[in-house]
Amino acid sequence: MIEIKDLHAYYGPIEALHGVNLTIGEGITALIGSNGAGKTTLLKSISGIIRRTGSIIFKGENGEEELIHKKPGYMAKRFIIHVPEGRHIFPGLTVEQNLETGTVNWHGFFGNKPYTAELEEVFELFPKLRERRKQLGWSLSGGEQQMLAIGRALMARPKVLMLDEPSMGLAPIVVSELFKKIVEINERMGVPVLLVEQNAKMAMRISKYTYVLDGGRIRMEGASNILREDPRVIETYLGRFATTKR
């Protein structure tokens, strides 16, 4: 779906990514690395939020398109949807209103096209959101807010879904359930996922392919089930999980 070649990204004069090559395929692609490795920067680069050079080729139904010079609004119009770290829901809107904002991409702020099917699909995926559809966003738990952020992204009808640290700040039992939903989004709904995640063990368990980013460069890559057995990955990224069943 997306092929990235020789991607460089910049914060002002500072270069944060140094020639990254990465492919987002049809499955779940994991991107792991330590804090400050450049993972969030990579997502921002794909979304067009920060200055970048190189090549970002989107392969869709109408052929290939170069997106390296496109702005965030255009990337969204290509249904490349980014769920940022920290959720960023609208706390003063209800759950249903938050979800409705995800439809702006395809019918505008004042559009009146029905979105019942999309809403129902999100509620089927996250039943708790149906129960809380009239509650304000600020009143939800952290896990429910993350569900809402992902649900809002799904309302945009993504062709590629990019998730930045979805497990951050959540209890282990919530994380486990959330990752099951990410698998369902990919397998049942057919949405390719680029998953940026500090929980490397879990990310590599559900993904098909993994990239290891360090210092703004891809240091390792490979099939997730093979890479998670690599001693270097175990020592550096799996830490205390190294002696447990993976």
Side-chain angles (χ1 to χ4, degrees):
M1 299 294 294
I2 295 180
E3 187 173 2
I4 296 168
K5 298 179 180 179
D6 194 30
L7 182 66
H8 298 254
Y10 306 86
Y11 292 102
I14 300 173
E15 184 175 352
L17 295 180
H18 312 281
V20 168
N21 297 293
L22 182 146
T23 299
I24 305 173
E26 294 181 351
I28 298 174
T29 302
L31 180 65
I32 66 172
S34 58
N35 287 331
K39 304 185 300 298
T40 293
T41 296
L42 179 57
L43 295 195
K44 289 181 177 180
S45 300
I46 297 172
S47 295
I49 297 172
I50 61 175
R51 183 168 68 91
R52 71 270 209 247
T53 61
S55 179
I56 300 175
I57 299 175
F58 176 62
K59 300 179 179 181
E61 298 172 354
N62 298 318
E64 297 185 359
E65 182 180 9
E66 176 62 72
L67 299 176
I68 192 64
H69 298 299
K70 302 300 184 182
K71 295 183 178 181
Y74 189 89
M75 303 300 282
K77 290 182 184 298
R78 284 294 174 266
F79 303 98
I80 300 170
I81 306 300
H82 180 178
V83 180
E85 178 184 342
R87 301 151 199 156
H88 297 288
I89 64 166
F90 298 103
L93 298 182
T94 66
V95 166
E96 191 164 342
Q97 287 170 335
N98 266 278
L99 293 174
E100 185 177 0
T101 64
T103 70
V104 168
N105 191 41
W106 46 274
H107 69 59
F109 278 106
F110 303 103
N112 56 6
K113 294 182 181 180
Y115 57 92
T116 307
E118 286 78 11
L119 191 63
E120 187 58 35
E121 194 162 29
V122 170
F123 284 157
E124 183 179 341
L125 184 69
F126 298 119
K128 287 185 179 180
L129 295 184
R130 186 196 301 275
E131 297 172 10
R132 291 157 174 72
R133 63 193 300 171
K134 300 303 180 183
Q135 285 185 221
L136 295 178
W138 66 263
S139 69
L140 303 180
S141 68
E144 291 164 350
Q145 288 186 15
Q146 187 63 69
M147 294 175 195
L148 181 55
I150 295 174
R152 180 179 58 190
L154 293 175
M155 293 291 288
R157 301 174 176 172
K159 291 184 178 178
V160 175
L161 181 63
M162 302 190 299
L163 302 176
D164 193 357
E165 304 284 7
S167 74
M168 181 174 288
L170 303 182
I173 190 170
V174 177
V175 171
S176 179
E177 183 62 26
L178 184 64
F179 273 67
K180 290 178 183 178
K181 298 298 184 181
I182 293 172
V183 171
E184 188 173 349
I185 288 168
N186 176 246
E187 294 183 350
R188 183 177 66 81
M189 302 175 71
V191 179
V193 176
L194 176 59
L195 174 63
V196 166
E197 193 37 76
Q198 280 288 97
N199 189 334
K201 179 188 178 185
M202 187 72 78
M204 297 178 79
R205 178 177 292 173
I206 70 168
S207 62
K208 180 180 294 186
Y209 202 86
T210 295
Y211 292 88
V212 179
L213 189 68
D214 182 56
R217 292 180 170 88
I218 298 295
R219 303 295 185 178
M220 301 172 64
E221 63 176 276
S224 297
N225 62 337
I226 295 176
L227 203 60
R228 72 186 185 194
E229 302 296 334
D230 189 299
R232 294 168 297 174
V233 173
I234 293 173
E235 181 180 358
T236 306
Y237 301 104
L238 301 184
R240 64 189 177 86
F241 301 117
T243 58
T244 63
K245 184 177 180 180
R246 294 184 296 281

